[in-house]
Amino acid sequence: MNRYIIILTTVFTMLAVLIGCTGKQIGEDGEKMTETVWNARHNYEVGVEYDNQRHQMRIAELYYRKSYEILKDNPSQDWNIYAEAGYRYACLLYQRSDMEGALAIVSELLKEAKDNGDFPRVPQAFLLSLMAQCQLQLAMPEAAKQTFGKAYEQQLNVLGGEEKGDFNLAIMCSDIFWAFFQIGEYDEAGKWLSRYEEEFRACERLGVGDSLIILEHNGLLSLYKAQYLEATGRAKDAAAIYDAIPQRQLDNPSCIENATGYLMAAGRYAEAADMYARLDTTYAAADSARMTFDKISECLAPRYAANRKTGVIAEALATADKAFAAIDSALVWQERSNAAELAVIYQIHERDLQLKDLRFTISLHRLIIIAAAIIILLIIFFLRRTYKYNKVLAAKNRKLYEKIELNRQEQQHEMAQLQTMSEAELTANQQLYRRICTLMDEQQAYTDKALNRDSLAQMLGTNTKYLGQAIHECSHGESVGDFINRYRLEHVTRLLKTTNEPIAIIGELSGIPSRATLARLFRNAYGMTPTEYRQIRDER
């Protein structure tokens, strides 16, 4: 039994290892992870690759969504990937102007952050900031103010206070300023512009960031101040700040765009037109002169207005022609881009279906293997149990066989003594009993299946009462029926030992009409079946 338990334990352990291995993956750093976590991380990393390409954002969005949804039901499997994938997915929805969709994702992530202490702390500030951006676009400025404040406080809690030299906090303040500035909330915008300057100066003072980043942010800060002052009616102060900006701080597209914004607001259209021309050159070097509708709206349309208001009609017309050509080009490029993205998305969908079918097949095969193993274990269990049962049964039957033989010898000895005694020594019942036994032994009357109490009494020329009394007294309390069946069963045992006739035939030869009756009588008398009796004969 102990050996059998060890075998079962070993097999089940091997099955558990097999099942566990099929559900594990090994990451690049050697970390073991579940298949679910591996799939989530893989989709997130692919999304990042497409995100970095900048021109396949719908595909990046698809992979971020897949990563997010894989972990959505149980984000505790990997909080970092869940938070990052969800945040990036929401950002891309925001860029596509799907404010409701982005807000729903952010709200879900923030709910998880509130309910679970293991949620990453740093992304929460950016989630709140993105929520506020959505609220602004959905015409909820008061809610946006509160949410931006929470985002700022959250980031301060992570950093441990203000002016810690964190560029992320400075950029957050910059984004919040710009959001309120664009909707004309100048009082609120002024507060965030001051915070942006304080955090940026702390970064500059502590030496955080390389020289190019510091240079760019110095330019942006000055341009934001100029635009803010111009918008709030302090044109002279705005012009002074703008004119003091070194030209080397206006060498990147972001600063040039803000410079054109200030110049247009200040009515300096000729300078704005020159700056737009400079912006064309910068985009051509940075992005292969590819025009999008956003660039047409942000660059060519204002440039046309600047040239027209300056009085440079020829340049304005040329800009208008360029805008029309750019619109056609952007339409063609957008159609191609959409077609390419749709083709990739279709391929991804097809591959996902194939992977789903493959996983189903693997799971099915795994279940088949487990079921087969369980069946084999059950077969082994029942074979083992049957073997042990048969072994015990055989030992018991051998003892019964020996007991049967011993009883038969005792009965034969009693009959031999009875036969040797004279009639004077026997009682009337003993004399009648000796006549009954002689009749049964010599004529085998019991082989007649019709033999019963009445017919046996008639054969002996006596009545059933005397017959019953004689058998009961001399056979240790047997009835007439039991007496007849004992002779029949003894005949069965002789035939079982000496012949190979079918058991049903042996029963008929012994006066027992059916095999079922024979089996019942044999088991009641000897504690085994005729088949088991014959098996013991073969063993001996």
Side-chain angles (χ1 to χ4, degrees):
M1 177 59 73
N2 290 336
R3 190 191 319 169
Y4 177 61
I5 294 174
I6 292 172
I7 293 173
L8 281 177
T9 304
T10 303
V11 174
F12 275 117
T13 302
M14 293 175 64
L15 280 173
V17 171
L18 173 64
I19 296 169
C21 289
T22 55
K24 296 285 185 182
Q25 298 286 346
I26 306 297
E28 293 182 357
D29 56 356
E31 176 190 3
K32 288 186 178 180
M33 63 185 77
T34 65
E35 184 177 353
T36 300
V37 172
W38 187 91
N39 286 332
R41 291 189 182 182
H42 174 72
N43 281 290
Y44 171 75
E45 291 165 1
V46 175
V48 171
E49 291 179 6
Y50 280 106
D51 198 351
N52 292 336
Q53 296 176 25
R54 298 297 180 188
H55 301 304
Q56 294 180 309
M57 307 309 290
R58 293 296 292 271
I59 302 175
E61 178 187 323
L62 171 66
Y63 277 104
Y64 287 145
R65 176 176 62 80
K66 289 172 63 177
S67 178
Y68 167 74
E69 290 180 348
I70 286 172
L71 295 172
K72 185 177 179 181
D73 292 335
N74 186 12
S76 61
Q77 295 177 90
D78 195 322
W79 283 112
N80 287 320
I81 293 297
Y82 171 72
E84 287 290 337
Y87 173 69
R88 290 175 179 251
Y89 175 36
C91 286
L92 293 180
L93 290 176
Y94 174 82
Q95 291 177 17
R96 284 203 296 110
S97 299
D98 184 2
M99 302 304 164
E100 290 83 0
L103 193 58
I105 298 297
V106 172
S107 299
E108 184 65 32
L109 291 172
L110 289 172
K111 181 179 181 299
E112 289 290 348
K114 180 180 179 181
D115 296 341
N116 297 281
D118 294 330
F119 194 92
R121 295 183 64 192
V122 176
Q124 294 181 41
F126 299 101
L127 289 171
L128 288 166
S129 180
L130 180 57
M131 172 180 274
Q133 298 279 3
C134 293
Q135 289 170 338
L136 277 180
Q137 296 299 320
L138 294 171
M140 303 165 61
E142 293 303 320
K145 289 179 185 179
Q146 295 181 9
T147 308
F148 274 132
K150 291 179 181 178
Y152 181 72
E153 292 298 329
Q154 175 66 38
Q155 189 67 356
L156 287 182
N157 290 335
V158 173
L159 297 174
E162 298 178 340
E163 300 183 32
K164 298 293 184 179
D166 184 70
F167 251 116
N168 288 327
L169 184 59
I171 292 171
M172 178 187 291
C173 294
S174 170
D175 292 340
I176 297 173
F177 155 75
W178 189 247
F180 283 114
F181 180 78
Q182 285 183 310
I183 65 171
E185 291 276 351
Y186 297 129
D187 290 341
E188 194 70 22
K191 297 177 183 178
W192 291 104
L193 181 59
S194 298
R195 288 174 178 171
Y196 169 39
E197 183 173 14
E198 291 169 1
E199 294 299 332
F200 170 66
R201 295 306 177 199
C203 293
E204 191 177 29
R205 186 173 62 253
L206 296 172
V208 178
D210 57 38
S211 58
L212 291 177
I213 293 177
I214 295 295
L215 184 68
E216 178 182 347
H217 276 273
N218 266 312
L220 280 175
L221 180 58
S222 298
L223 289 166
Y224 284 161
K225 285 182 177 180
Q227 293 179 86
Y228 175 72
L229 292 170
E230 182 68 34
T232 55
R234 289 171 281 182
K236 290 183 179 180
D237 294 337
I241 290 177
Y242 178 81
D243 292 337
I245 298 173
Q247 287 299 311
R248 60 192 182 90
Q249 291 183 358
L250 302 176
D251 287 338
N252 63 81
S254 179
C255 289
I256 295 174
E257 287 177 357
N258 281 278
T260 56
Y262 163 74
L263 291 170
M264 289 294 291
R268 298 164 64 169
Y269 300 117
E271 293 177 75
D274 291 339
M275 193 63 73
Y276 279 122
R278 184 177 176 183
L279 188 62
D280 283 350
T281 305
T282 305
Y283 273 130
D287 201 21
S288 303
R290 177 179 290 155
M291 270 294 175
T292 66
F293 293 109
D294 288 338
K295 290 179 183 177
I296 293 168
S297 174
E298 295 170 2
C299 303
L300 293 181
R303 181 179 174 186
Y304 166 77
N307 285 319
R308 185 174 58 80
K309 291 182 179 182
T310 307
V312 186
I313 303 303
E315 186 65 26
L317 291 174
T319 302
D321 292 338
K322 185 176 181 181
F324 285 122
I327 290 172
D328 293 336
S329 176
L331 284 171
V332 172
W333 176 81
Q334 186 171 356
E335 288 177 358
R336 291 178 179 175
S337 177
N338 289 342
E341 287 188 337
L342 287 174
V344 174
I345 291 172
Y346 176 77
Q347 292 173 1
I348 293 169
H349 179 67
E350 289 293 310
R351 188 174 64 207
D352 287 345
L353 289 177
Q354 292 174 358
L355 288 174
K356 186 176 181 180
D357 291 340
L358 180 60
R359 288 194 186 100
F360 175 78
T361 303
I362 293 173
S363 298
L364 182 61
H365 288 169
R366 192 183 302 168
L367 287 174
I368 291 173
I369 292 173
I370 294 172
I374 292 174
I375 292 172
I376 291 171
L377 288 174
L378 288 174
I379 291 173
I380 294 173
F381 172 78
F382 285 115
L383 287 176
R384 173 77 176 179
R385 185 173 180 180
T386 302
Y387 170 77
K388 292 184 67 177
Y389 174 78
N390 289 337
K391 188 175 181 181
V392 172
L393 183 63
K396 184 197 76 172
N397 288 342
R398 280 193 293 272
K399 291 181 179 179
L400 290 174
Y401 184 90
E402 294 172 357
K403 185 177 179 180
I404 292 169
E405 293 300 312
L406 181 62
N407 289 338
R408 180 179 294 112
Q409 291 175 5
E410 291 177 354
Q411 290 175 358
Q412 289 176 349
H413 179 69
E414 289 179 359
M415 280 302 303
Q417 287 183 335
L418 187 64
Q419 293 292 350
T420 57
M421 292 177 66
S422 64
E423 295 225 356
E425 297 176 303
L426 299 175
T427 65
N429 283 336
Q430 289 177 330
Q431 292 177 12
L432 179 57
Y433 183 72
R434 185 163 66 178
R435 288 176 55 204
I436 297 170
C437 293
T438 301
L439 175 67
M440 299 292 275
D441 290 333
E442 294 178 356
Q443 298 185 22
Q444 295 185 340
Y446 52 83
T447 58
D448 182 2
K449 59 186 177 182
L451 182 68
N452 57 26
R453 179 189 183 96
D454 294 332
S455 58
L456 181 58
Q458 187 176 7
M459 292 174 66
L460 292 168
T462 186
N463 59 43
T464 57
K465 178 181 178 181
Y466 294 145
L467 178 69
Q469 289 176 348
I471 292 176
H472 186 270
E473 179 181 327
C474 300
S475 64
H476 308 291
E478 284 183 334
S479 66
V480 176
D482 292 339
F483 175 80
I484 297 173
N485 285 333
R486 174 161 62 83
Y487 266 90
R488 285 172 173 167
L489 291 175
E490 288 178 355
H491 190 65
V492 168
T493 58
R494 284 194 296 271
L495 294 177
L496 287 173
K497 287 198 297 186
T498 57
T499 72
N500 292 318
E501 292 290 339
I503 293 174
I505 299 298
I506 290 176
E508 292 181 0
L509 293 175
S510 303
I512 301 174
S514 69
R515 182 164 181 170
T517 302
L518 172 60
R520 176 175 57 79
L521 293 174
F522 203 94
R523 178 175 290 280
N524 290 339
Y526 302 135
M528 69 178 81
T529 65
T531 302
E532 292 169 347
Y533 187 90
R534 176 170 275 175
Q535 288 174 347
I536 297 173
R537 178 209 70 176
D538 294 337
E539 292 175 2
R540 299 172 72 90

